[in-house]
């Protein structure tokens, strides 16, 4: 299911531009860029590789950059939808919902969002290079939306790939987390575990380390222990999940990177 998430990313990439993109080629590129993202902050290496791939296929450089911004925007939309869905459904569960040890979920959500905003603000303020990159990225995304999104909006198949691919990628990661929990007999409901993951992922996304290393592990352990999972089990779940979902894909990712170079996709 972890590998299936990369296919979802390839689907979204295919839906970000109006010209046809072979799903097989896009999948190879997405595996290759995932390898680069393991060693570059804020997914910079993977973004550069995807832009290069679109350029090699004939897409203008500015449009290619904005297209990657559009996939990020689609990912953000799906993130919000999944967050709201899982949190609302988990709390609507009459069996108890998503309770934490002493404060309640609402306070936890407010706290983690506040922490995420503060961390993101500090990072942007302290680093002009990052700030300029973010501003440029946002501007190019707006340009993409204004110039090309109208045409994409008239192509349901492209929109389905753009948003459906991101939804598949998010859902596959949640499934991997849930099944990692099940491997250690964590019997919380699926929607509750989905809500725990979405909250932790939202917080960790504000930390500019490659793949959120360190931040996502700490956030997941915190959320699991807040849901009454004992510390050793929480750590075991998170270690298993990250080994499979984050580190294992470096193997096919490295091979895909070499294939991309050999076939001159990038």
């Amino acid at each position: 299911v972890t590998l299936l998430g990369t296919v979802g990313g390839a689907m979204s990439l295919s839906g970000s531009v109006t010209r046809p993109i072979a799903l097989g080629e896009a999948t190879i590129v997405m595996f290759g860029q995932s390898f680069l993202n393991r060693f570059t902050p804020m997914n910079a290496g993977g973004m550069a590789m995807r832009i290069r791939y679109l350029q090699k296929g004939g897409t203008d450089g500015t449009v290619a950059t904005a297209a990657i911004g559009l996939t990020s925007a689609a990912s953000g939309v799906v993130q919000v939808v999944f967050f709201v869905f899982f949190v609302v459904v988990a709390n609507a569960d009459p069996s108890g919902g998503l309770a934490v040890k002493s404060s309640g979920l609402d306070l936890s959500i407010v706290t983690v969002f506040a922490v995420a905003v503060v961390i993101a603000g500090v990072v942007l303020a302290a680093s002009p290079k990052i700030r300029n990159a973010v501003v440029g990225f946002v501007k190019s995304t707006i340009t993409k939306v204004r110039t090309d999104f109208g045409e994409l909006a008239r192509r349901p198949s492209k929109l389905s790939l753009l948003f459906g691919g991101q939804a598949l990628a998010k859902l596959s990661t949640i499934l991997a987390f849930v099944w990692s929990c099940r491997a250690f007999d964590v019997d919380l409901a699926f929607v509750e575990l989905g809500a725990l993951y979405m909250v932790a992922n939202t917080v960790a996304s504000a930390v500019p380390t490659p793949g959120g290393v360190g931040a996502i592990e700490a956030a997941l352990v915190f959320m699991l222990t807040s849901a009454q999972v004992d510390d050793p089990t929480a750590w075991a779940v998170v270690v298993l999940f990250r080994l499979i979902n984050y580190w294992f894909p470096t193997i096919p990712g490295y091979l895909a990177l070499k294939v991309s170079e050999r076939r001159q996709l990038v």
Side-chain angles (χ1 to χ4, degrees), residues 87-171:
V87 171
V88 169
V89 173
N91 279 286
D93 185 355
S95 64
L98 190 58
V100 295
K101 285 179 179 176
S102 60
S103 59
L105 177 64
D106 292 337
L107 180 58
S108 295
I109 293 176
V110 171
T111 302
V112 296
F113 267 119
V115 170
V117 170
V118 169
I119 292 175
V122 170
V123 170
L124 291 177
S127 176
K129 289 184 178 180
I130 294 178
R131 183 170 63 252
N132 293 335
V134 170
V135 171
F137 191 67
V138 171
K139 287 182 177 179
S140 67
T141 301
I142 293 174
T143 300
K144 171 68 176 179
V145 171
R146 288 179 175 175
T147 58
D148 285 10
F149 190 72
E151 185 173 354
L152 288 174
R154 293 190 290 271
R155 300 188 182 188
S157 60
K158 285 290 185 178
L159 288 179
S160 298
L161 286 171
L162 179 63
F163 288 97
Q166 291 295 339
L168 177 61
K170 298 282 186 190
L171 183 59

Side-chain angles (χ1 to χ4, degrees), residues 19 104 106 215 239-240 250:
R19 69 176 179 85
D106 292 337
V239 168
L240 174 64
T250 58

Side-chain angles (χ1 to χ4, degrees), residues 9-19 21 50 54 59 63-64 66-72 74 144 148-149 152 157-159 161-163 166:
M11 292 167 57
S12 186
L13 180 64
S14 299
S16 67
V17 291
T18 54
R19 69 176 179 85
I21 292 182
R50 284 179 285 163
L54 293 178
T59 302
V63 175
I68 302 308
L70 188 56
T71 62
S72 296
K144 171 68 176 179
D148 285 10
F149 190 72
L152 288 174
S157 60
K158 285 290 185 178
L159 288 179
L161 286 171
L162 179 63
F163 288 97
Q166 291 295 339

Side-chain angles (χ1 to χ4, degrees), residues 44-68:
M47 289 171 59
M49 183 174 178
R50 284 179 285 163
I51 291 171
R52 178 62 177 164
Y53 168 66
L54 293 178
Q55 287 181 299
K56 291 274 286 187
T59 302
D60 176 77
T62 302
V63 175
T65 301
I68 302 308

Side-chain angles (χ1 to χ4, degrees), residues 234-246:
W235 276 107
V237 166
V238 172
V239 168
L240 174 64
F241 168 66
R242 290 292 278 174
L243 281 175
I244 294 177
N245 189 255
Y246 186 76

